[in-house]
Amino acid sequence: MTDGVLWGGRFASGPAEVMFALSKSTQFDFRLALLDLRGSVAHANALHAAGLLTDAERQGLVAGIDQLSEQVRAGQFLPEERDEDVHAALERGLTDILGADLAGRLRAGRSRNDQIATLIRMYLREESDRLRTDLVALIDALAGQATTCMGAPMPGRTHMQQAQPILLSHHLLAHAWPLVRDLERLDALGGRLAQSPYGSAALGGTTLGLDPQSVAEELGFSTSVPNSIDGTSSRDLVVEATYIAAQIGVDLSRLAEDVIFWCAQEVGFARLDDAWSTGSSIMPQKKNPDVAELARGKAGRLIGNLTGLLSTCKGLPLAYDRDLQEDKEPIFDSLDQLHMILPAMTGMVATLVFDRDRMRIQASAGFSLATDMADWLVRRHVPFARAHDIAGEAVRYCEARGIGLEDLTDEQLAEVSAELTPDVRQVLTVDGAIEARDGVGGTSTARVREQLERLMGVVDGYRG
């Protein structure tokens, strides 16, 4: 071992300063140190089982690894400038504790290639658990608001135009279901992450009689990879994790956009809690939706991480290539960003205060009950194409007179169409329009209550 690196015997001199700076990765991969040390314990046990370590050597190695692990946890052991990567730093630390002869035995039968491929999977499995907890908390916040606001109407929109009255609870739950799908994506990824590349060595496995399956089981994997080349050179699972992070970012961004819109003064559907908003350095009256705006901005960052990683992986030949060092920073950053923004979004959503009166007033604006008029005609056996035209004519008639559909007199209804009798007013109310949409998945109060119960049943399966 050349000072600070795990190679060097074939070289007459060390790397150039700029070359070493380019190669160095401890500034981001040292976060994997404790996982690396866990892998080293399992590897020591595998070497012992293969007859390559005596009982005393195995015990000494494990004791040294445990001591180094405590130093890492306490912040007493850190990488030095001369350390090329996390593996080199930890071997230096173990050598300081045990001496070069015993510490050097641990490197037999493994390569940084299979080490890092295994560590990143271990890391993603742990981080997926944290992310799952964060997602469940945000879903709970949305469900809590949906429960509190049950029965409150609001204007539903398509193309950002008033469309139909809906329940606020229905809209809030529409933001929860994509997050459930994100949980399902994490679960599916977890199944693929459950294979350990340890034992693949550089690319073709080892000649030392080690048992990859025993290492896999000791590290919490279900099995070892079926192909050692694929195990060391594939990063599709890191890409998949980066995609899931980006998709979560997009889902958060859409929720954030609604909150920003609701809190605009001209809209006034919701107010932000002081703890989850900021002010202006020049305008004293401002209350800015910074959490939502930052979430919206972070989505672009997460998408960029995914795009960059895909570009890195797209043209790599088998097996391991140093390009793959670039896999860690994108996923590390994406997960770090989500661990910040998800709790903030949860706090913001949980403390929103909705102006139900204002939403109710707006729910019938923009002729949002026109579809209900058309449906009423259909139930009286008017062909929908004709019913659509009649309702549209009624809207044009009202626009010309500055009134709403619900304001039409008996005579005016008849003037628009003979098919429009006074009974049509039964559906020209916000509550009537909402409760009429009682099909599965609809916005009626009964259906939304059913939906909320179903949602919580699904989410309960993801709680720790």
Side-chain angles (χ1 to χ4, degrees), residues 191-209:
R192 289 185 278 278
L193 288 171
Q195 294 185 350
S196 166
Y198 230 114
S200 299
L203 78 159
T206 78
T207 62
L208 299 180

Side-chain angles (χ1 to χ4, degrees), residues 20 109 169 240 254 260-261 265 284 332 347 381 399 426 433 454:
F20 185 77
S169 299
E240 186 175 354
R254 297 191 76 189
I260 292 165
F261 176 72
Q265 202 118 38
F332 289 170
H381 305 291
E399 279 184 323
Q426 297 170 4
R454 178 182 175 187

Side-chain angles (χ1 to χ4, degrees), residues 293-310:
E293 290 175 342
L294 286 167
R296 193 172 56 182
K298 297 289 186 187
R301 180 169 176 167
L302 300 177
I303 292 168
N305 285 338
L306 172 61
T307 303
L309 184 53
L310 281 169

Side-chain angles (χ1 to χ4, degrees), residues 4-62:
V5 298
L6 299 181
W7 49 272
R10 183 255 183 269
F11 292 81
S13 64
E17 184 178 343
V18 173
M19 169 62 199
F20 185 77
L22 176 63
S23 181
K24 182 178 168 65
S25 61
T26 51
Q27 66 272 24
F28 56 82
D29 67 12
F30 195 74
R31 71 168 66 193
L32 301 174
L34 291 174
L35 296 175
D36 193 307
L37 291 166
R38 279 178 54 196
S40 291
V41 171
H43 186 61
N45 291 334
L47 289 170
H48 177 257
L52 299 172
L53 290 177
T54 66
D55 290 348
E57 287 169 338
R58 187 199 72 82
Q59 291 169 5
L61 273 172
V62 171

Side-chain angles (χ1 to χ4, degrees), residues 260-270 285-287 358:
I260 292 165
F261 176 72
W262 293 340
C263 293
Q265 202 118 38
E266 299 89 335
V267 180
F269 289 173
Q285 82 283 5
K286 292 294 292 299
K287 196 171 190 181
R358 185 168 177 83

